Every structure is written in C-alpha cells, then in structure tokens.
C-alpha cells in the first residue's frame, strides 16, 4: 500500500487541507501543536473503519465544536496494484464514493454502502492488520517495541528469504513427546512426579543405610579405642610409681640442706648490720672534715669581702662628685639653647611674613587668569547646549541616508523604466501615482520632441486625447520597494528634525562645532582644575590679607608692593632688646645683631644662620646630656657595687659564724680522734663477718642447697601432670566401655543389614524409572534442537536486517537477540549485553524505530507492504544519535514510504533527501 494524498474538511480543527505525499522516500510533515498532524493518521483509519451512517462517538468527536458541519475525508492510495480514490462524509449529507483504476487502466466506481464494503474488502485483502499496527506509531507510542510474529507478510518474507519452512515437526508428535517429558521433568529440567518421588526415596534409603553403616563403624572404632586406652593406662601407672620414688629422694635431700641455708641467712644478716654501722661511722668522719673545710674557707672569704667593701665605698663617693659637675655643665648648655631657639623663632616669623607677601602677589595674578578661564567655560557650554547632534545621532543619520539611497537604487532596479517621447503634433498627457522622473518632477504633458524617463512603482497613464491611452502598472514587488523607499525617507526626515538640521552635511558641521567646543570646554576645565587644585585663590587671598594686616581699601596697592617690616608691632621684643637686657649676664661678649632684612633672600639667610647656631648648641647639649647620663650611670653602678659588696660581706660573716657553731656542736658530741677510732673498729668487724659468710657459702655450694628446692618443685609438677593423665585415661576408658555395652543391646549389625536390603530394592525400582525419564528427555531435547535450529533460520533474516541497520547508528559491535515472537529481547554493544528493559529511554526508542524500518524493508517488495508512520518520535535522542538516526531514516525511504509527523523539525534536519511539508494553522 502506498498513500498518495489525504484531504480533510471540517475535521476537528482543520477547515480544509490537502496533503500530498511522495509514493517513495521519507516525508516529514511539520506543524505546530494542534495544527492537525495526528488528525491525518486518525482520518485515514476512520475512512476504512466506519461507514458514513455510523453513530459512533468517534465521529462526534471529530466534528468541530459548535459547528453544524459534516466531517469529510478523501484518500488517494495504491492498494494491490490498484489506484483508489476514496471519499467519505459523515453526519450531514452523508456519502461514500470509491473509484478504482486497475493495472490495465479500467476504472470502476462504487457509492454508498457498496463503496464502503468494497474498500473494506480491498483493505483487509492487501493490508495485514498486525503489520499495519506495527508500522504505524501513534503519538506517545514510540517506546513500544514491536512483536510482529503474527504479521503474515513479514512471516512470508522471512520464510522466503531464509528458505526454511515454518513447521519443523507435526504437532501431534510434538504434543506426545512433550506430554511424556512432563511426566518426569518440569519445563525447567527438574525432576517431577513419580520420578522425583523415586529420587527422594533413593536418597532417604541411602541416608538410612549410610547412618547404619556409620553406627557400626563407630562401634568398631570404640573397641579399638578401649584396647588402646587400657594399654596407655597401664603404662602411665608404671611411670607414675617410678617418678614418685624419685620425688621422695629429692625431698630427703632438701631436708638435709635446709640447716645449711638457715646458718647462711644468719651470717648474711650479721654482715648487713656490720656494713650499716661502718657506713654510719664513715659518714660521721666525712661530715667532720667538711665542717673543718667550711670554717677555713669562710674565714678567707670574709677577709677578702671586707677589703672589697672599703674600695667600693671610695669609688662610689668619687662618682657622686663627677655627677654634680656634669649636671652643672648641662644646665649652662640648656640655657644657651633657649637663647638660640628664640633667635630661630624670630627669623622664622620674618621669613613667613615675606613668603605670605610673595604668595599674595601670585594669587592675585592667578585669580585674574581664573576669571578668564571661567568665562571660556560658560561660552563653550552655551555652544554645546545649542547643538543637538551627537555621534550616535549622526551615525543614525548616515545609516538613514544610506538606507534611502539603497532603497531608491533597489526601486530603480526593480520597477519598470518607461521612456515616453512625443513625436507628432498631438499632445501627450502623463498621469498616475507612484511615478518618479529621473530629471526631477513628472510633467503633466510632453512638448514636441520632448522625452520623459520615468520609474513606475505604482501606475502610469500615457494618453493621447481622443486617440490612445496606455496604462503601465508595476508588479507586487514594486509596491514593496516603494514602501521601503517611503519608510527610509520618513526615517531620514525624523532624524533630521530631531537633530535640528536640514541635511547630513549640516549635521556633520554641527558635530564638528560640537567637537571643537567640547575640546575647548575640556581644556578650560583642566586649566580651572589646575588653578583651583590648592583651593579657591580668593579664599587664600582673604586669609593672607588678614594675616598681613592689609585693609580691603588698599589691597591692590599692597599686592604690588613689599610688605612693611613688623618690628614695631606692640608687645613684640626685638632681638636687640632681648640680648641687650642689663639682666643678661650669661654671655658678656655677645654682639648686637644686625637689623632684620627686608628681602626674602636675606631673611632666609639670617634664618639659616640662626638654625646653624641652634644646631651647634643642640650638639653641645647632646654631648653634655650624654656626659651627664654616663656620669649618672657610672655613679649608679658604683653605688650598686658598694651595696652588693656590703651585702656579700655580711652574708660571708653569717656563714662563717654558722660553720664555727656547727663544728663546736659536733665536737661536743664526739671529738675528732674518737671519730677516726670508731670508723677503724667498724671496718675490722665487717671483715670478720665476711670471712665467716664465705665459709658458709662454700659449704652450701658443696651440698647444692640452692638447686634442691627447684628440683623438688619440678618433680612434684611432673607427678601432678602424670596423675591428671592417668585420671583422663580412666574416664575415657569408662565412657568407651559404656558405649560398647549400649551398642550390644541395640543390635547395630542387624540394623545395618536391613538398611542395605531396603536400599537395593528402592534403587532397582528407581533405575527403571530413570531409564524411561532419560529416554523421554533425549527425545524432547532432540526435537527441541531441531525446532530451535529451524526457529533460528526462520528469524535470521529479520535479525540480520535489524543488526545491519543498527550498526550504522551504534557501530560494528551492535548485536540483538529475538524471542519467539520475533521481538527484540536483548542488545549487545561494546561487549555489554543487556535486556531491553535495562536500556535508556532514548536507546529503547531508537531500537523500536530501527526494528520497524527493518520490517518495512523486508516487506517493501510485496503487495502487503504498508507505509511506516512515526508521530512525534526521537524525543529522547541526543544530537549525535539524531544525526545517525536521520541518515538511517533517509536510507529507509529508498525502499518504501516513510511518513514522519512532528512539531520539532530540528530533530530531522539530518535526514537526507527528505521531503518537508509545512502545515499552517
């Protein structure tokens, strides 16, 4: 089937629209939301599904709301080699018309119900409903992967391409084999029914026989264990008896050596006492020698410190006299510094007065220049206020002028040029609108042999009264060009009015004047800023005038002359009066200073001289202060040294007295000779005790007294360990003998024999069932392998076609696996195999589109082929996948008819050779 055109009238929101589709290739139908794209697919379905007299709500839904009109659909298509034109109108003036043109060109027509029945018959005869629903993807269904196993055209195509018949075995045989297989096995291959019960019975019998055999083996092990325990117990009893004899012998040796060890401990105690007494006497002797040494050392130190104390007092007294002399000299230098500082202050006041006079003269000149600069600023600002043209407005004027020129050039090139020339005596009249003359105004009438060259953008009437009238009209493009010229001229006039000039040249002159005035204004403002950078000169002039005592009336006179000297100001003492005072007796040879100079240079020189003399006095003061400080520092150090000498002398006297008292107290207890004699007596006692201890130790070493106690402890530990081993063996032997006695009463041998007989019988029955079950499985698996091989060949063409298309999008590693319904079950990419449900939304949609294109490719050559329709697909794909899917959709159009409905044409800009149809609202 191929769809050629669809016409909708009064269908939902569509008033009247016809969409023509190429029979081969990819067509992209583009339109905004609610423009009626999905209505095309819905209309094609309704025209074949419902007759014109149907009362279905589907028909009521497609009628425009609030309008009493009849929905109508016309479809032109090719079906089974026949060309059909099928028209149907519902609700009002119902009608159905079908025209069929067969391959020979013979045309047949039907109307009414016969037309509907014939169209329905042809559609169901040549269009498989499963294939049609598979390849028509409605809006929102692009993620659903197709399951086309019931599509007869596809089955026919893959069967023909694979060369394998569909049925590999007869169904009765398959059912019988499957029934016999399911008696013994589940579909998953696990045992079931009697066979499963038999396996459980064998397992239970084997477990019971194994338990009986294990119990009998445990009895045999207990017998061997009892024999071994009896032998081990006899051996331990023998070794324990021998060891106990050895323990008694060691105990007797220990009793014999205990007396020697007791005597050695007594002698050791006497030796420790003698050593302690010797240590006490030695400490007493050393303390007596220390006291004698301290008395001698403190006597010598006391004499030395008394001599140092006398010397320090003498030095401190001399240092105090030096400090008094230095402080007197310092006072004289300080008085001289005050005199020189007064001289400097007087000179500074004179220099400051002269500087103020010079600054006043400079500021008066600066104020005059500032008044001139501010007048220039006012003039330039006034010029700028009058000029309305700036750079932006001038650029807009130039653009507007260029637009006018360009529009008039386009008008001259795009409208007809008419040349009218009068040749005879009859008058030639010109009239019309939208007419321009290249030489200026359009004349109403031409004189003899006069020529007019005219551009006609509207209508020109050339007439010879009573004989001829010619009308020249420009095309639709001329009106557009004329409108552009008018808009450009209007824009230019508006800008000229805004700028207050008559043309662009005048605006350029205004802009030049504005630049000149702006430069003048900026220069004047920079000069004003420079002149006022230190403040307003007028304010500074007022301050200086007040400081110099110049009145407002003679300000101009004072600004041009020197300021009078200020020596005669009341309350101010001159340098002469200061230094000529009869009370000043500090410097008898002081000379009277010269009168203060009237010029700034002389005043500055006098100030420098006064500062130099002050600096010299300050250096003298610094030296005097340093000398006084050094004298005070030396006096402080000498005084401190004298105090420390007195303190050290007093401390040495106290220590000497304490040492003499301690020596007297010690001698009162024991004199020096008695101390020495007591230490010698204690030394002799220690030596005697040590000789006795050596003799006793030699006796203990000969008897081995120190090792006997350890040997006895080791022997007792071994005896205890052997007794525990004997008790453990006795308990184990009793437990083993008890189990053997109980096993004899239970009859373990009989139980083992019965279990083995029962196991043999159950195994025989199970082996019989097992042979039948294995035979049924071999037959079932053999038949299944043959059917699987046939199924593989049967689905191989579709799988190969899907993989070929998919590799153009995903690369050479792309593979898929189909299930029994020929639906894609799994996908492998770059070695990773995943079920379809685990893929991303975009990948699922792309795989669904690829599968439908593969199906369309397989059935495209048969009569059962149908168009592939995608309504709003590829909404989840990235830009790279959109490019690859676009190329794939373009190639799919080479084999069939692919129709894409979308409101996003950018998704399909990469579809080569696609036909784009734009639907307007």
């Amino acid at each position: 089937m191929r769809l050629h055109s669809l016409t909708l009238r009064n269908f939902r929101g569509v008033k009247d629209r016809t969409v023509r589709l190429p029979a081969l290739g990819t067509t992209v139908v583009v339109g905004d939301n609610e423009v009626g794209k999905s209505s095309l697919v819905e209309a094609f379905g309704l025209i074949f599904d419902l007759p014109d007299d149907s009362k279905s709500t589907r028909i009521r839904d497609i009628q425009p709301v609030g309008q009493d009109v009849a929905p109508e659909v016309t479809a032109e298509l090719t079906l089974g080699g026949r060309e059909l034109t099928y028209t149907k109108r519902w609700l009002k003036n119902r009608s159905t018309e079908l025209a069929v043109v067969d391959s020979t060109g013979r045309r047949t027509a039907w109307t009414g119900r016969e037309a509907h029945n014939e169209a329905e018959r042809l559609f169901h005869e040549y269009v498989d409903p499963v294939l049609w629903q598979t390849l028509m993807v409605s809006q929102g269904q692009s993620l659903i992967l197709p399951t086309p196993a019931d599509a007869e055209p596809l089955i026919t195509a893959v069967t023909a391409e694979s060369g394998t018949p569909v049925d590999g075995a007869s169904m009765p045989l398959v059912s019988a084999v499957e029934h016999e297989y399911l008696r013994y096995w589940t579909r998953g291959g696990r045992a079931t029914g009697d066979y499963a019960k038999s396996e459980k019975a064998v397992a239970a019998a084997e477990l019971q026989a194994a338990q009986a055999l294990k119990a009998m083996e445990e009895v045999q092990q207990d017998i061997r264990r009892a024999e071994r325990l009896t032998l081990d117990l006899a051996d331990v009893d023998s070794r324990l008896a021998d060891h106990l004899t050895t323990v008694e012998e060691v105990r007797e040796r220990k009793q014999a050596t205990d007396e020697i060890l007791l005597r050695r401990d007594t002698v050791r105690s006497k030796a420790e006492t003698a050593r302690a007494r010797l240590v006490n006497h030695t400490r007493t002797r050393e303390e007596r020698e220390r006291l004698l040494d301290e008395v001698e050392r403190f006597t010598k130190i006391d004499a030395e410190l008394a001599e140092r104390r006398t010397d320090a007092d003498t030095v401190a007294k001399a240092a105090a006299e030096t400090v008094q002399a230095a402080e007197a000299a310092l006072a004289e230098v300080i008085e001289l510094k005050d005199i020189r500082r007064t001289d400097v202050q007087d000179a500074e006041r004179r220099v400051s007065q002269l500087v103020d006079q010079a600054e006043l003269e400079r500021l008066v000149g600066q104020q005059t220049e500032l008044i001139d600069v501010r007048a220039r600023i006012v003039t330039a600002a006034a010029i700028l206020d009058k000029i309305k043209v700036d750079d932006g407005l001038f650029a807009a004027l130039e653009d507007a002028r260029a637009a006018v020129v360009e529009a008039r050039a386009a008008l001259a090139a795009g409208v007809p040029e008419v040349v009218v020339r009068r040749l005879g005596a009859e008058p030639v009249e010109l009239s019309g609108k939208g007419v321009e003359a290249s030489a200026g105004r359009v004349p109403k009438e031409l004189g003899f042999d006069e020529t007019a060259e005219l551009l006609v953008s509207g209508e020109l009437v050339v007439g010879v009264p009573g004989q001829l009238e010619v009308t020249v009209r420009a095309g639709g493009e001329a009106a557009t060009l004329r409108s552009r010229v008018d808009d450009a001229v209007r824009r230019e006039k508006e800008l000229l009015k805004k700028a207050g000039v008559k043309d662009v040249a005048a605006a350029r002159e205004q802009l030049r004047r504005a630049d000149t005035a702006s430069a003048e204004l900026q220069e004047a403002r920079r000069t004003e800023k420079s002149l006022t950078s230190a403040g307003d000169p007028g304010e500074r002039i007022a301050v200086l005038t007040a400081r110099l005592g110049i009145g407002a009336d003679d300000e101009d006179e004072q600004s041009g002359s020197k300021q009078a000297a200020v020596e005669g100001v009341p309350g101010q003492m001159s340098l002469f009066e200061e230094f000529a005072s009869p009370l000043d007796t500090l410097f008898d040879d002081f000379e009277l200073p010269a009168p203060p100079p009237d010029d700034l240079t002389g005043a500055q020189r006098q100030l420098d001289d006064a500062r130099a003399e002050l600096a010299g006095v300050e250096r003298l003061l610094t030296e005097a202060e340093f000398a006084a400080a050094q004298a005070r520092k030396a006096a402080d150090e000498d005084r401190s040294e004298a105090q420390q000498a007195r303190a050290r002398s007093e401390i040495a006297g106290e220590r000497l007295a304490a040492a003499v008292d301690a020596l007297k107290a010690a001698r009162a207890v024991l004199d020096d000779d008695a101390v020495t004699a007591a230490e010698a007596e204690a030394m002799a006692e220690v030596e005697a005790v040590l000789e006795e201890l050596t003799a006793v130790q030699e006796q203990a070493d000969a008897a081995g007294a120190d090792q006997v106690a350890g040997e006895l402890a080791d022997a007792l530990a071994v005896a205890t360990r052997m007794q525990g081993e004997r008790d453990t063996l006795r308990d184990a032997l009793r437990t083993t003998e008890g189990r053997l006695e109980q096993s004899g009463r239970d009859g373990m041998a009989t139980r083992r024999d019965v279990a083995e007989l029962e196991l043999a019988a159950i195994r025989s029955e199970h082996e019989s069932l097992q042979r039948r079950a294995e035979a049924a499985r071999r037959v079932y698996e053999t038949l299944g392998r043959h059917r699987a091989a046939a199924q593989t060949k049967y689905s191989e063409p579709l799988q190969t076609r899907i993989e070929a298309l998919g590799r153009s999008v995903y690369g050479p590693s792309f593979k898929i696996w189909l299930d029994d319904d020929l639906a894609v079950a799994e996908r492998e990419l770059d070695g990773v195999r995943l079920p379809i449900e685990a893929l991303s939304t975009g990948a699922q949609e792309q795989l669904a589109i690829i599968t439908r294109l593969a199906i369309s490719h397989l059935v495209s050559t048969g009569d059962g082929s149908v168009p592939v329709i995608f309504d709003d697909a590829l909404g989840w794909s990235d830009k790279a996948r959109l490019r690859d899917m676009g190329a794939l959709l373009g190639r799919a159009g080479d084999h069939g008819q692919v129709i894409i409905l979308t409101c996003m044409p950018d998704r399909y800009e990469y579809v080569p050779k696609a036909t784009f149809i734009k639907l307007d609202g």
Side-chain angles (χ1 to χ4, degrees):
M1 180 180 71
R2 292 289 182 268
L3 182 60
H4 302 300
S5 72
L6 271 174
T7 300
L8 279 65
R9 295 184 182 89
N10 302 320
F11 195 99
R12 294 191 183 276
V14 179
K15 181 67 175 177
D16 190 349
R17 174 180 294 136
T18 299
V19 177
R20 300 194 178 278
L21 304 168
L24 190 66
T26 302
T27 303
V28 181
V29 180
V30 181
D32 296 334
N33 292 327
E34 300 182 1
V35 80
K37 301 184 301 298
S38 301
S39 298
L40 297 173
V41 180
E42 182 183 12
F44 187 76
L46 286 177
I47 198 174
F48 284 98
D49 290 347
L50 301 177
D52 56 19
D53 58 352
S54 173
K55 305 299 182 181
S56 173
T57 56
R58 295 170 61 189
I59 300 300
R60 291 293 179 187
D61 290 342
I62 65 175
Q63 185 182 32
V65 178
Q67 300 182 30
D68 188 17
V69 294
E72 181 178 341
V73 177
T74 299
E76 296 180 5
L77 64 153
T78 299
L79 194 62
R82 297 174 175 87
E83 295 180 1
L84 279 69
T85 301
Y86 189 24
T87 302
K88 185 173 291 186
R89 186 168 54 247
W90 293 273
L91 299 179
K92 293 184 64 178
N93 301 322
R94 300 189 305 271
S95 67
T96 302
E97 298 176 1
L98 173 64
V100 178
V101 179
D102 58 17
S103 57
T104 62
R106 185 170 61 89
R107 185 177 184 278
T108 308
W110 291 267
T111 60
R113 175 64 71 167
E114 292 181 353
H116 173 79
N117 294 338
E118 180 64 17
E120 185 177 28
R121 182 188 68 79
L122 291 173
F123 187 81
H124 287 93
E125 179 179 355
Y126 292 104
V127 176
D128 182 77
V130 176
L131 183 63
W132 170 247
Q133 293 298 325
T134 298
L135 298 186
M136 184 183 66
V137 182
S138 301
Q139 192 172 25
Q141 296 180 346
S142 60
L143 295 177
I144 301 175
L145 271 77
T147 54
D150 295 332
E152 183 177 349
L154 177 62
I155 301 304
T156 303
V158 297
T159 301
E161 187 165 338
S162 64
T164 303
V166 176
D167 52 346
S170 63
M171 289 309 297
L173 175 60
V174 173
S175 299
V177 171
E178 184 176 4
H179 180 268
E180 182 65 18
Y181 173 80
L182 294 177
R183 286 184 56 193
Y184 306 104
W185 309 95
T186 64
R187 294 189 182 276
R190 296 189 301 273
T192 187
D194 294 339
Y195 182 53
K197 294 178 182 179
S198 177
E199 283 186 341
K200 293 179 180 178
V202 170
E206 288 177 346
L207 178 61
Q208 186 175 2
Q211 291 175 348
L213 181 60
K214 182 179 180 181
M216 194 63 194
E217 290 177 353
E218 290 176 354
V219 171
Q220 297 294 332
Q221 291 175 359
D222 286 341
I223 294 173
R224 291 191 293 272
R225 186 181 298 110
E227 294 175 352
R228 186 176 64 255
L229 290 174
T230 301
L231 294 175
D232 293 344
L233 182 59
D235 179 63
V236 169
D237 286 337
S238 175
R239 288 188 289 108
L240 179 59
D242 295 341
H243 184 69
L244 291 176
T245 302
T246 303
V247 170
E248 290 301 324
E249 293 175 354
V250 174
R251 185 177 286 114
E252 290 175 359
R253 285 177 54 204
K254 184 177 183 304
Q255 291 175 357
T257 58
D258 285 346
E259 184 178 354
I260 299 173
L261 295 177
L262 180 61
R263 188 165 64 254
R264 185 183 66 180
D265 293 341
T266 301
V267 176
R268 281 180 178 173
S269 178
K270 288 170 61 180
E272 293 296 329
T273 302
R275 285 195 188 97
R277 189 180 296 111
L278 175 61
V279 170
N280 289 334
H281 288 298
T282 302
R283 189 180 296 112
T284 301
R285 176 185 58 79
E286 292 173 349
E287 179 65 18
R288 183 65 51 85
E289 291 175 351
R290 186 187 65 79
L291 290 174
L292 291 171
D293 292 340
E294 283 188 351
V295 169
E296 181 180 0
R297 182 165 54 85
F298 287 150
T299 300
K300 185 185 297 183
I301 291 173
D302 183 61
E304 293 177 354
L305 291 178
E307 183 179 358
R308 291 182 184 177
R309 176 179 178 180
T310 301
D311 296 339
D313 289 339
T314 302
V315 171
K317 186 179 297 183
E321 295 175 354
T322 303
V323 169
Q324 292 177 357
E327 288 180 347
L330 178 62
E332 293 179 358
V333 176
I334 291 174
E335 186 176 359
L336 180 60
K337 178 184 176 183
D338 293 338
I339 295 172
R340 293 292 179 261
R341 183 182 293 112
T342 302
D343 294 344
V344 170
Q345 290 173 351
D346 293 340
E348 286 177 346
R349 281 195 294 272
R350 181 58 181 166
V351 169
S352 176
Q353 187 178 26
L354 294 175
V355 169
D356 288 345
Q357 290 178 355
E359 178 67 11
L360 180 61
E361 294 174 2
R362 186 186 66 82
L363 289 174
V364 169
Q366 183 175 330
Q367 187 177 31
T368 302
E369 184 181 358
L370 182 61
I371 292 173
D372 180 63
V373 168
R374 285 175 174 168
R376 289 164 54 198
I377 291 175
V378 172
T379 302
I383 293 173
L384 289 176
D385 289 341
K386 294 178 181 179
I387 296 176
K388 300 179 181 180
V389 180
D390 56 11
D391 291 337
L393 183 57
F394 182 71
L397 279 171
E398 287 186 330
D399 293 341
R401 178 74 266 179
V404 170
V405 173
E406 181 180 354
R408 284 177 172 168
L411 179 65
V415 301
E417 181 180 5
V418 178
V419 179
V420 181
R421 181 180 179 186
R422 178 178 172 181
L423 299 177
E426 297 296 332
V428 177
E429 298 177 351
L430 302 177
S431 63
K433 58 181 179 179
V435 181
E436 291 184 2
S438 59
R441 188 176 58 84
V442 178
K444 294 184 178 180
E445 183 176 337
L446 294 179
F448 178 74
D449 200 25
E450 184 180 357
T451 302
E453 297 180 357
L454 306 175
L455 295 176
V456 182
S457 58
E459 181 179 88
L460 171 65
V461 178
V462 181
V464 178
Q467 297 183 11
L468 175 68
E469 184 179 89
V470 178
T471 301
V472 179
R473 293 188 182 92
E477 181 66 20
T480 303
L481 295 175
R482 164 56 60 185
S483 175
R484 291 178 182 174
V485 171
D486 295 341
D487 292 341
V489 171
R490 183 170 58 256
R491 172 62 177 167
E492 183 183 26
K493 289 180 178 180
E494 290 175 353
L495 292 174
L496 290 173
K497 182 179 180 181
K498 181 178 179 181
V501 294
K502 63 179 181 179
D503 54 18
V504 177
R508 184 179 293 107
E509 177 61 23
Q510 292 281 6
L511 186 61
R512 185 192 63 76
R513 291 183 60 201
D515 292 341
T516 303
S518 177
E520 176 68 17
L521 178 62
Q522 292 176 1
E523 177 63 25
R525 283 177 176 171
R526 282 197 297 269
T527 304
E528 180 188 25
K529 183 177 180 181
S530 175
L531 292 174
T532 59
S533 60
D536 190 352
E539 297 177 359
R540 184 65 177 162
I541 289 172
V543 172
L544 291 176
T545 301
R547 184 187 300 170
L548 294 173
I550 300 174
D553 296 336
D554 57 351
E555 179 178 350
D556 295 336
E557 179 181 355
Q558 295 295 336
S559 63
S561 62
K562 297 288 185 178
Q563 177 69 25
V566 294
E567 293 181 354
V569 177
Q572 181 175 358
M573 182 182 292
S574 67
L575 294 176
F576 176 79
E577 292 172 346
E578 177 182 355
F579 289 101
S581 174
L583 300 177
D584 187 7
T585 59
L586 182 62
F587 304 103
D588 296 335
D589 56 348
F590 185 78
E591 295 181 359
L592 294 178
D598 292 337
D599 61 320
L600 180 61
T601 303
Q604 185 66 45
R605 186 183 306 109
Q606 186 178 17
L607 175 61
D608 294 340
D609 295 340
R611 285 175 177 173
E613 293 177 358
L614 177 61
V617 173
E618 287 178 344
R619 286 194 297 273
L620 291 175
L621 177 62
T622 302
E623 294 173 357
E625 288 176 344
F626 178 74
Q630 290 295 105
R632 284 192 292 270
K633 180 179 179 183
D636 292 340
E637 291 177 352
D638 293 340
R639 186 168 52 253
S640 176
E641 181 65 25
Q643 292 175 355
Q644 292 177 2
R646 284 194 295 272
R648 287 196 294 270
S649 177
E650 292 174 358
I651 293 172
E654 293 175 357
R655 288 181 178 178
L656 176 60
V660 171
D661 292 342
L663 180 60
K664 289 179 180 179
R667 283 176 174 172
V669 177
L670 191 66
D671 59 14
D672 297 341
D673 295 337
V675 171
T676 304
E679 182 182 13
E681 182 181 353
M683 179 64 73
E685 183 182 359
V686 169
E687 291 175 353
V689 173
L690 290 177
E691 290 177 359
E692 183 181 2
L693 179 60
T694 302
V696 174
Q697 184 63 45
E698 290 176 354
Q699 185 179 3
D701 293 340
D706 292 330
Q707 290 79 22
V708 172
E711 293 178 0
L712 179 59
D714 294 341
L716 290 175
V718 172
T720 301
R721 180 180 57 76
M722 295 178 67
Q723 288 174 352
E725 184 179 353
R726 181 189 61 184
D727 295 341
T728 301
L729 291 173
R730 283 178 178 175
D731 294 341
L733 181 59
R734 293 192 189 100
T735 301
T736 303
E737 289 176 346
R739 285 202 303 270
L740 288 173
E741 184 177 356
Q742 183 64 35
S743 299
R745 289 196 296 267
D746 291 343
M748 292 294 181
T750 303
R751 288 176 57 191
R752 180 193 62 187
D753 296 340
V754 171
E756 289 178 350
L757 291 175
E758 290 179 354
L759 176 61
I762 292 173
R763 276 180 174 170
S764 176
E765 182 178 356
H766 175 68
E767 288 172 357
S768 176
L769 277 173
Q770 187 177 24
R771 286 191 296 271
R772 292 196 296 272
E774 291 297 334
R777 177 166 32 196
R778 283 194 296 273
V779 173
Y780 180 78
E781 290 178 349
T782 301
L783 183 60
R785 283 195 303 272
H786 288 290
R787 285 177 58 82
Q791 177 70 16
T792 300
K793 292 183 179 180
Y794 168 69
S795 62
E796 183 177 358
L798 179 59
Q799 178 177 351
T800 301
R801 194 62 52 85
I802 294 174
E803 289 179 347
L805 296 178
R807 284 169 185 155
S808 65
V809 177
Y810 296 101
S813 63
F814 175 79
K815 293 181 181 179
I816 56 100
W817 282 265
L818 302 179
D819 58 16
D820 294 340
D821 294 329
L822 297 183
V824 178
E826 295 177 346
R827 186 206 72 178
E828 179 178 320
L829 190 62
D830 297 330
V832 179
R833 183 170 176 176
L834 295 173
I836 294 302
E837 297 78 9
L839 300 180
S840 67
T841 303
Q844 291 186 33
E845 182 187 43
Q846 294 154 16
L847 196 54
I849 293 174
I850 291 171
T851 303
R852 289 182 170 92
L853 294 179
I855 294 171
S856 174
H857 195 181
L858 285 171
V859 302
S860 61
T861 57
D863 292 338
S865 64
V866 295
V868 184
I869 301 175
F870 297 109
D871 190 357
D872 195 20
L874 291 179
W876 287 275
S877 298
D878 55 43
K879 197 168 187 65
R881 291 288 167 79
L882 284 175
R883 183 182 293 107
D884 297 333
M885 291 298 295
L888 182 62
L889 289 168
R891 291 194 300 273
D894 297 338
H895 305 282
Q897 188 179 30
V898 180
I899 301 172
I900 300 171
L901 309 175
T902 183
C903 61
M904 301 291 291
D906 293 345
R907 296 179 189 170
Y908 305 96
E909 62 180 345
Y910 301 107
V911 180
K913 299 180 293 184
T915 300
F916 282 82
I917 299 176
K918 174 67 176 177
L919 301 184
D920 297 326

